[in-house]
Amino acid sequence: MTLTTQILLSMLSLLVLAVVLGAVLFTVVSNGTLDRQYQLRALGIATTTAAMPEVRTALAAGDPHHDIEALAKQIVAAANPSYVVVTDRNGIRYSHPNPALIGHKLEEPVAVLDGKSHLGFDQGSLGLSANAKAPIFGTDGAVIGEVSVGILDTREQDDQAATMWLIAGFSALVLLLSVGGSLLLSRRIKRVTFNLEPAEIAFLLQEREALLHGIREAVVGLDDDGKVTVINEEARRLLKVEETALGTPVAELVPEGRLRQLLTGTLDGVDQVVLTEDALLVVNRMPVSVGGRSIGSVITLRDRTEIEGLVRDLHSVQGLMEAMRALEHEYANRLYVVDGLLELGEVEQAKSYVAQLSTTSRSLGEGLRSRIAPPELAALLLAKITVAAEQDVEIEVTSDSRLERPPALATEVVTIVGNLLDNAIDALANTPRPRTVTIHLDDAVGVFISVRDNGPGVPADQIDAVVVDGYSTKDTRPGMRRGIGLALVARIVHGAGGTLDIFPGPGGNFEVWLPAAPDATNQTGTDDD
């Protein structure tokens, strides 16, 4: 059955049951009240008749002039009871609607000899009636007779029938209004539920739950007040939400920062990059409206940490390949020179040229390796020097640079140096020559890294913005997101308990200090002693 039919039948069943029970109860109570009213009416007439002096005097004298019958007829005409019967204490009738029974004795004993009035229903010669009997007292206070007044049951039945018709009409009106109300309610429910039946709603709910908690992408649903209405397990993991989040404002689930601004809608944009303590997230926030009315928004978060790491590793490999290509090109040119000298017969000159090249190339690599203990860092510097030379940028490692012990955060140091050098090389792309980048390394107290270039530098009003994840003034490279390098450096430095200082231009100037590991400090003290 459709939702409309179910609502209509359910409402009608309940209403019919309630109306029928109410009608029956009201009829029973009404009939009982009507019975009591007729009995009290008869009692009033009987009591009044018994108190009439004419009735008392005539009954005490034996009613020689038949005055009691005449008075009874007057009372019936005035008060409209069905009958008024007056008897003496022995039950002899002095008045009766059937004149033939006057002077005859009652079939039942006189009920008022106890001096009290009596109410009830009496099955007399005229039929069933609501009856009241009142005693007639003589001058000495003794009971000398009885007045019996009755109202036939046929009159009461007519009144009861009129009442029942009223109840039936009222019940029918209630049922009619209920049917209309049920139809209106069902139409409203159908409109709210987009004309979906209960089975369809249940199926959609099951689908939603399966989809929401089955996908690996994080999903958060918000209402118009910014409170969480839906959140799946992946979103809980990425946002580190452990407590019940439903009904909680999303601003209370994450700390202050760029992520909160994106989740609350303070910042807009598609595929916005956010760097958290342990993940790189791509955030999208889309408003949701139904029928032109806003019902909230949906937030999706994608964990791109591993993919972004692979992309950056790939670019690092490509950088090394570019460096090898540049070296290959350079060595090819040198071989051409050697070959030309040999062709010309200048053997000694060729030997001298080869010796000079060998000394120069070996001195650059050996010079770096002798001062920079971590081999991966020395290799990185050598590759960056070669790649930068291809772009007409000179990278100079200061002569007093020293990194004699592999730092505890060797991988982090390589990441910091690589990002700072990449930013410096990119900053010099469209600047006039000469283009120079100077890097200084020192591990006297912790690890100190300084990278400077003669480019435009960072404007003073943008110093705080450049370390925000997603901020970049450069064109996007295919397959790689911008605005990550300096944010990643800032996160590594902050996690290690170090400092990152950025100085305003002209000229880029970045200084990083990382504290030394405890074991490295102790070892240093031992060597000094």
Side-chain angles (χ1 to χ4, degrees), residues 173-246:
L173 179 61
V174 169
L175 288 177
L176 184 61
L177 292 176
S178 301
V179 171
S182 300
L183 292 175
L184 291 176
L185 177 62
S186 63
R187 288 183 61 185
R188 175 173 176 78
I189 293 176
K190 291 280 285 184
R191 186 168 61 252
V192 172
T193 58
F194 303 98
N195 291 324
L196 295 176
E197 298 298 333
E200 295 173 321
I201 296 174
F203 180 73
L204 288 177
L205 179 62
Q206 293 172 351
E207 268 194 340
R208 192 204 75 163
E209 291 298 314
L211 179 64
L212 182 66
H213 298 286
I215 61 176
R216 284 289 295 168
E217 189 163 335
V219 178
V220 181
L222 306 178
D223 60 15
D224 281 334
D225 296 327
K227 295 181 180 179
V228 177
T229 57
V230 173
I231 183 170
N232 65 355
E233 296 304 321
E234 182 67 5
R236 290 179 179 274
R237 181 184 73 83
L238 294 179
L239 298 179
K240 297 182 179 180
V241 176
E242 298 180 356
E243 69 279 1
T244 301
L246 297 181

Side-chain angles (χ1 to χ4, degrees), residues 38 41 50 71 181 344 357 415 456 469 494:
Y38 272 80
R41 178 182 171 189
L71 290 171
L344 295 174
L357 292 178
T415 301
D469 38 340
H494 176 73

Side-chain angles (χ1 to χ4, degrees), residues 8 16 133 209 317 322 327 334 343 345 371 410 433 494:
L8 183 60
V16 167
K133 296 179 174 64
E209 291 298 314
V317 172
E322 287 293 324
L327 290 174
R334 292 172 179 177
E343 287 289 337
R371 293 180 291 156
R433 296 177 179 84
H494 176 73

Side-chain angles (χ1 to χ4, degrees), residues 275 462-471 483-491 500 502 510:
L275 197 64
Q462 298 293 320
I463 288 180
D464 294 331
V466 294
V467 295
V468 175
D469 38 340
Y471 177 88
I484 301 299
L486 284 178
L488 184 61
V489 170
R491 192 192 74 178
L500 169 62
I502 303 175
F510 298 84

Side-chain angles (χ1 to χ4, degrees), residues 11 36 64 87 91 97 143 163 172 234 248 295 339 403 411-412 418 430-431 489:
M11 293 287 289
R36 188 64 176 172
T87 65
V143 176
T163 303
E234 182 67 5
T248 304
I295 61 173
D339 181 64
L403 203 61
T411 302
E412 287 78 0
N430 298 316
T431 61
V489 170

